[in-house]
């Protein structure tokens, strides 16, 4: 089988045109082409009136070797690579030293699945609830302003990615094809097969819920064990003969103790109490950059027309997205970047706090992406120089901004909101326009400036007109911004070595977004697979050494 890349056809091409394009590209008669499989389909919308579909195709020919010899220097004609996933190890008979996975967001979920598939029967500890119960608690905040600090958008089965757009694409390099493994497992669990070939696949919240449940059943059938409402509050770390440190178990909030020499730490970016415990236990961590800002909403139809022109509404294109960035030039803003983050076409802005008395926003879409508004975070980069008072200072920085947002919203988890016109004019909003904010429980028109540092406000004010030049209507006066977005990524990194262990605590495997090694469902899930591999090699290596 051969793989052809960069096969371009018009958006409205006929099914027969794909076969004709392959034959023309390879210079072959029709009888030489036996089969075509679409590996990937994307689009190029830079010319709105001439949008092209871009295919990566796997084709079966009568004589593939002869065809390859005719294209020795063509990077777009090659043999189809072997993308089959291969497990790095298998558990021996009588295996008993079960690994523990803390947290079951995308990273912990994939780590647990791969560990289970290797026969290692992981024990999964989740401080929140199973996904269905967790969904009810999340709706309790959105509909009744009732927050459950242990069961919300951040905590519970499926992690923060469950209440998102369900994007499954990333810029990570993946030569081992771990991302393909993740996508295939998601399809087995009920995701649409199109995620295997679309260049920008997504699932949506409701489908993610059923998928997470399906994957849990698979893990349990393979010998894995879930324990919900089980919060890890301490680690048993003991000194080793060589002067190092080894994890030996975890202490639970209910007073229980679970012995374990291999622990995957996949707690997500909002487990602030866990981060404090890790620092107290001497696990090496360091502050890292992240970003803060607001959610901005526009009519989805406006974004569609701007990106796709007359092709807006074409089902092959779906709801349009965007990706924007501006490098600030104003005095005192040098080095700051403002960019769009977690863009949710046809979605809603959601309440994503996990702590009382604080307001946090995030974005969410269903699979259909059929809601009236498009939303995205517009965020400003911040670095440890902005919060220099220790490893956990970024957490305090986030909390301060979230408390400001809660106060500006007037309480009851209402969020402060302001129109773009008022924001750019530096005046509080008292009313809103045609763009109706989607955030629940609700918004309070006000002045967003007090909710972020002055440099962040100045940077966003500089960026919005620049974004208007890229997306016409972006700075329209009645576009709505809702504050604040603070959980873009973890404000710290739990350092690990090449073998996957913590750099100073053997047997502890920091992973995913909370450890500072991922951002989004796909990269977090891929990191979970890699971490499971590291655990298996370490665990089975220890067994072999003991024997």
């Amino acid at each position: 089988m051969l793989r052809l890349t960069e096969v371009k056809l018009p958006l409205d091409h006929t099914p027969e045109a794909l076969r004709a394009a392959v034959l023309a590209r390879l210079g072959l008669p029709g009888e030489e082409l036996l089969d075509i499989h679409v590996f990937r389909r994307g689009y190029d919308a830079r010319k709105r009136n001439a949008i092209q579909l871009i295919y990566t195709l796997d084709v079966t020919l009568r004589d593939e070797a002869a065809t390859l010899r005719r294209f020795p220097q063509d990077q777009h004609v090659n043999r189809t690579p072997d993308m089959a996933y291969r497990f790095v190890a298998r558990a021996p008979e009588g295996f008993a030293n079960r690994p523990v996975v803390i947290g079951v967001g995308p990273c912990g979920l994939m780590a647990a699945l791969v560990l289970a598939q290797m026969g290692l029967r992981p024990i999964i500890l989740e401080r929140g609830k199973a996904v269905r119960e967790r969904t009810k608690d999340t709706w309790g905040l959105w509909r009744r302003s009732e927050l459950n600090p242990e069961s919300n958008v951040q905590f519970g089965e499926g992690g923060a990615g469950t209440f998102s757009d369900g994007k499954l694409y990333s810029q990570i390099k993946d030569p081992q094809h771990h991302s393909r493994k993740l996508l295939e497992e998601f399809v087995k669990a009920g995701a649409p097969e199109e995620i295997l070939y679309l260049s920008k696949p997504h699932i949506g919240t409701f489908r993610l819920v059923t998928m997470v449940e399906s994957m849990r059943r698979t893990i349990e059938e393979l010998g894995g064990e879930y324990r919900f409402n089980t919060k890890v509050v301490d680690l048993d770390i003991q000194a080793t003969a060589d002067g190092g440190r080894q994890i030996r178990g975890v202490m639970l909030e209910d007073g229980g103790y679970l012995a374990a020499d291999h622990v995957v730490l996949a707690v997500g970016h909002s487990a602030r109490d866990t981060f404090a415990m890790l620092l107290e236990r001497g696990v090496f961590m360091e502050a890292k950059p992240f970003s803060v800002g607001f959610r901005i909403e526009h009519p989805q139809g406006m974004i569609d027309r701007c990106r796709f022109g007359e092709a807006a509404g074409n089902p092959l294109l779906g709801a349009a997205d965007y990706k924007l960035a501006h490098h600030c030039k104003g005095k005192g803003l040098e080095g700051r970047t403002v960019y769009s983050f977690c863009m949710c076409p046809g979605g809603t802005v959601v309440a994503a706090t996990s702590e009382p008395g604080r307001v946090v926003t995030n974005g969410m879409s269903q699979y259909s992406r059929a809601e009236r508004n498009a939303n995205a975070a517009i965020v400003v980069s911040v670095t440890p120089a902005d919060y220099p008072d220790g490893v956990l200072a970024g957490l305090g920085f986030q909390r301060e901004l979230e408390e400001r947002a809660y106060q500006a919203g007037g309480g009851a988890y209402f969020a402060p909101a302001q129109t773009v016109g008022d924001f750019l004019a530096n005046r509080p909003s008292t009313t809103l326009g045609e763009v109706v904010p989607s955030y629940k429980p609700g918004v309070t028109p006000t002045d967003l400036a007090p909710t972020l540092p002055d440099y962040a406000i100045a940077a966003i004010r500089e960026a919005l007109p620049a974004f208007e030049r890229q997306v016409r209507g972006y700075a329209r006066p009645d576009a709505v911004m809702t504050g604040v977005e603070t959980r873009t990524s973890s404000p710290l990194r739990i350092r690990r070595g090449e073998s996957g262990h913590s750099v100073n605590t053997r047997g502890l495997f920091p992973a995913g977004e909370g450890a500072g090694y991922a951002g989004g469902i796909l990269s977090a899930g891929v990191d979970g697979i890699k971490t499971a591999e590291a655990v298996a090699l370490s665990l089975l290596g220890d067994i072999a050494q003991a024997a």
Side-chain angles (χ1 to χ4, degrees):
M1 190 178 295
L2 301 186
R3 177 160 291 176
L4 307 186
T5 59
E6 294 293 310
V7 178
K8 299 180 180 180
L9 288 169
L11 178 62
D12 58 354
H13 75 79
T14 64
E16 295 79 12
L18 194 61
R19 179 179 177 84
V22 171
L23 293 173
R25 178 70 181 81
L26 298 178
L28 293 173
E31 63 269 16
E32 291 295 313
L33 178 57
L34 303 181
D35 187 45
I36 301 175
H37 171 74
V38 177
F39 176 76
R40 179 154 297 150
R41 189 189 75 209
Y43 60 80
D44 182 349
R46 287 175 294 180
K47 296 180 180 180
R48 293 188 304 169
N49 296 325
I51 295 175
Q52 290 184 309
L53 296 179
I54 304 175
Y55 290 93
T56 297
L57 304 171
D58 289 327
V59 300
T60 304
L61 307 176
R62 290 188 186 278
D63 192 344
E64 293 168 0
T67 300
L68 273 179
R69 286 194 293 270
R70 292 192 293 109
F71 297 91
Q73 304 299 323
D74 194 328
Q75 63 178 340
H76 299 303
V77 182
N78 291 285
R79 289 201 180 277
T80 298
D82 180 3
M83 301 186 70
Y85 181 77
R86 292 174 176 82
F87 296 102
V88 299
R90 296 281 185 177
E93 289 188 16
F95 171 80
N97 192 7
R98 301 170 72 181
V100 167
V101 177
I102 304 175
V104 69
C107 178
L109 179 63
M110 289 307 300
L113 177 65
V114 172
L115 288 169
Q117 291 172 334
M118 288 190 283
L120 298 175
R121 302 185 300 115
I123 299 172
I124 301 101
L125 308 180
E126 170 54 56
R127 69 190 291 171
K129 299 180 181 180
V131 68
R132 294 278 173 181
E133 299 174 66
R134 172 199 180 197
T135 300
K136 294 178 183 178
D137 290 334
T138 301
W139 280 102
L141 173 61
W142 296 349
R143 291 174 172 172
R144 301 185 300 276
S145 296
E146 297 174 357
L147 172 67
N148 182 334
E150 297 296 335
S151 180
N152 46 64
V153 166
Q154 308 297 345
F155 299 141
E157 184 182 22
T162 304
F163 299 97
S164 70
D165 187 48
K167 296 180 186 68
L168 297 175
Y169 49 94
S170 172
Q171 295 180 338
I172 59 172
K173 295 181 179 179
D174 186 23
Q176 302 302 316
H177 309 303
H178 292 95
S179 57
R180 187 71 178 182
K181 163 72 170 172
L182 179 147
L183 295 176
E184 289 174 349
E185 293 295 348
F186 278 14
V187 169
K188 290 178 186 177
E193 289 194 16
E194 67 187 31
I195 70 171
L196 294 175
Y197 64 83
L198 290 181
S199 62
K200 294 182 178 181
H202 77 283
I203 299 176
T205 291
F206 289 163
R207 291 198 179 202
L208 278 165
V209 168
T210 58
M211 284 168 47
V212 166
E213 290 178 319
S214 175
M215 295 175 77
R216 184 209 313 159
R217 289 192 295 270
T218 299
I219 291 168
E220 290 175 333
E221 289 168 0
L222 292 170
E225 177 187 345
Y226 275 72
R227 300 184 187 180
F228 293 109
N229 300 300
T230 303
K231 185 176 179 179
V232 174
V233 294
D234 207 348
L235 302 181
D236 179 10
I237 299 173
Q238 300 180 14
T240 59
D242 61 0
R245 293 154 43 98
Q246 169 69 49
I247 192 165
R248 295 300 183 190
V250 299
M251 278 77 100
L252 309 178
E253 189 175 43
D254 62 6
Y257 176 85
L258 185 61
D261 295 331
H262 296 80
V263 175
V264 175
L265 190 69
V267 296
H269 58 41
S270 293
R272 293 165 170 171
D273 48 3
T274 302
F275 296 148
M277 177 270 290
L278 293 170
L279 184 65
E280 186 175 345
R281 288 290 161 260
V283 176
F284 184 83
M285 300 184 292
E286 58 191 1
K288 65 175 266 300
F290 63 105
S291 300
V292 297
F294 306 127
R295 278 273 151 184
I296 188 168
E297 292 187 84
H298 302 89
Q300 181 62 48
M302 184 198 86
I303 303 298
D304 291 343
R305 291 188 296 273
C306 182
R307 292 278 282 117
F308 298 148
E310 294 181 357
N314 188 299
L316 292 180
L317 299 176
D321 62 3
Y322 58 80
K323 187 175 182 180
L324 303 170
H326 173 72
H327 301 289
C328 295
K329 302 177 179 62
K331 185 177 180 181
L333 301 178
E334 299 87 349
R336 302 278 183 192
T337 299
V338 181
Y339 62 97
S340 61
F341 171 80
C342 186
M343 195 271 162
C344 296
T348 55
V349 179
V350 299
T353 189
S354 54
E355 297 178 336
R358 299 185 172 102
V359 162
V360 181
T361 62
N362 196 7
M364 183 182 83
S365 295
Q366 300 301 343
Y367 175 72
S368 64
R369 289 177 165 175
E371 299 295 332
R372 174 169 41 185
N373 289 351
N375 78 79
I378 297 298
V379 293
V380 182
S381 57
V382 294
T383 73
D386 297 309
Y387 40 92
D389 300 324
V391 174
L392 301 184
L395 304 180
F397 181 80
Q398 290 175 322
R399 281 174 163 151
E400 179 185 349
L401 304 186
E402 293 164 11
E403 289 170 3
R404 292 186 196 179
Y406 184 85
Q407 294 164 4
Y413 300 101
F414 273 53
Q418 189 174 16
T419 65
V420 166
D422 288 337
F423 178 79
L424 292 175
N426 194 19
R427 62 176 177 251
S429 287
T430 55
T431 60
L432 303 177
E434 293 184 6
V435 181
V436 179
S438 57
Y439 175 94
K440 301 297 182 184
V443 303
T444 301
T446 186
D447 183 3
L448 286 175
T451 65
L452 291 184
D454 291 344
Y455 59 79
I457 296 298
I460 295 174
R461 283 187 175 137
E462 181 182 309
L464 286 172
F467 292 162
E468 170 72 24
R469 292 191 287 272
Q470 299 177 62
V471 178
R472 186 175 181 182
Y474 203 84
R476 58 185 282 170
D478 65 345
V480 176
M481 295 194 299
T482 306
V484 289
E485 178 100 3
T486 54
R487 313 281 181 97
T488 52
S489 67
S490 179
L492 54 82
R493 177 171 287 110
I494 308 171
R495 284 277 300 280
R496 63 191 185 195
E498 291 184 4
S499 62
H501 299 262
S502 158
V503 292
N504 72 339
T505 307
R506 182 170 175 77
L508 183 66
F509 293 80
E513 287 204 40
Y517 288 98
I521 295 173
L522 183 68
S523 62
V526 165
D527 201 57
I529 297 172
K530 293 179 179 179
T531 301
E533 294 172 345
V535 169
L537 292 173
S538 174
L539 195 156
L540 298 179
D542 289 350
I543 293 174
Q545 187 175 13

